[in-house]
Amino acid sequence: MYTKTYSSYLEPPNSKPENLIRLLRTWAEINTGSRNIEGLEKFQLLIEEAFQPFPATVKTIPLASQEILRPEGRQHFSLGKAVSIIKQTNASMSVLLSIHYDTVYAVDHPFQKCITTDRNNMNGPGVADAKGGLIVLLEALKLFELSPWSDRLGWEALIVPDEEIGSIGSIPLLLEAAKRNDLALVFEPALPDGSLVGSRNGSSVYSAIVKGRAAHAGRDPEKGRNSIHAMAKFIVQMQEAFRPHSGITLNVGEVIGGGAVNVVPDLAYLRFNIRTRNAEDQAIVSKVTEHLTSCLNRMEGFEIEINVDSSRPPKVLDQETIKVLNHFNDCGQDLGIQIQWRHSGGASDANIIGSVGIPTVDGLGVRGGGLHSPDEYVLLDSLSERVKLTALFLMKLASGDFNQSLNVR
Ligand SMILES: [Zn+2]
């Protein structure tokens, strides 16, 4: 039941919409491309500062470097640091709140500034994905901590620097955090119509090197082993094998190889992304890639080396997650907004967190669109709206006000 009790805790003066918009503009204009370590470090200090006033332990955690196979061989890329904020209580339930602070825009990308295009629309890098979501997370926790129910719920916030490149360094932290908590809230942008995200496709990125043997293309073609031909066949065979399975999509995004056309090329490189809908799809992908790899390795004169650069399993919509989504729907009704949920083809850290089996709701960030492009925008009224939604959810959860209880450990 929504009473005056809750509404009086949803509007303190420091969460005025104009303050949130100003903060979002400042944050979005600090470049935090996943590979911009300097920018990430600068921003990470701001996150630490923002969480300092909370009665919680703020910790910065360095991540192991990311290994990617390139045509020149295995290469290691440094990653930014994760920030963990843990509030411990004697409460029987605790919630994980998570989002990333990296963006897809590199430091030399032309898209670096925010422009207010109309009263309710701001175009800018990461305004929706996901700095808007980070503000929602932060402000909702502030409201919750000022409410009378703050000691009745433990929480942990985990803010990671590498989601846009597959969270490869953050995966162990996300898994540990998920195991410590009873349910998880992820602050990726809401879908364009305002829906939350109940389920997501799985997504894995692979890099591979195919080695053959160089030879003169006219004089000794039979001595050569054409790595590009073998790679092309490998791609087509994957496509054929996945065709009957509508939940699996393959996208070869990068191909490098060869040089002079009178030389049989001895090296080809490819990088590809495979998306899956469920665990069965995942199993098919593993079987097919392993089978094709071993076939190629058995061919005389050829060798293929594959690296999994990142991997996130599909996020499924289970019964417990539906219960939590229904609670969000209740909170939405109290606030006069309709909250629905849908499937999204994109992966997020909710895929990793949800894999440990705790109910996980995603898309709790701002409403917006044009993600991963210079058209990215946020609908400004959604900042306060989504702060209230999550704050109200936390208050009701802490006060035991939901009619359908959650199965907590
Ligand atoms: Zn994102």
Side-chain angles (χ1 to χ4, degrees), residues 99-100 129-130 163-164 188-189 372:
I99 193 52
H100 60 94
D129 187 11
E163 194 276 339
E164 295 294 2
E188 291 286 345
H372 297 194

Side-chain angles (χ1 to χ4, degrees), residues 195-255:
S195 295
L196 304 182
V197 180
S199 53
R200 287 184 176 276
N201 278 1
S203 177
S204 299
V205 176
Y206 301 79
S207 47
I209 286 180
V210 181
K211 286 183 183 151
R213 193 187 300 144
H216 191 296
R219 215 172 161 130
D220 308 305
E222 70 290 342
K223 287 189 183 152
R225 296 290 178 272
N226 193 311
S227 58
I228 295 179
H229 291 186
M231 180 186 74
K233 197 171 158 197
F234 181 83
I235 295 170
V236 171
Q237 284 174 329
M238 271 199 294
Q239 250 185 337
E240 291 303 321
F242 297 148
R243 200 184 302 284
H245 309 281
S246 59
I248 304 178
T249 51
L250 165 71
N251 185 57
V252 176
E254 189 182 4
V255 163

Side-chain angles (χ1 to χ4, degrees), residues 37 60 99 107 164 186 325 328 333 338 396:
I37 301 300
T60 305
I99 193 52
V107 69
E164 295 294 2
V186 179
L325 283 162
F328 271 101
Q333 279 177 23
Q338 220 198 355
K396 284 192 154 196

Side-chain angles (χ1 to χ4, degrees), residues 4-12 143-144 146-149 391 395:
K4 270 213 162 80
T5 332
Y6 292 114
S7 67
S8 56
Y9 294 101
L10 292 175
E11 317 255 5
L143 292 183
F144 175 68
L146 290 171
S147 81
W149 305 279
M395 289 176 202

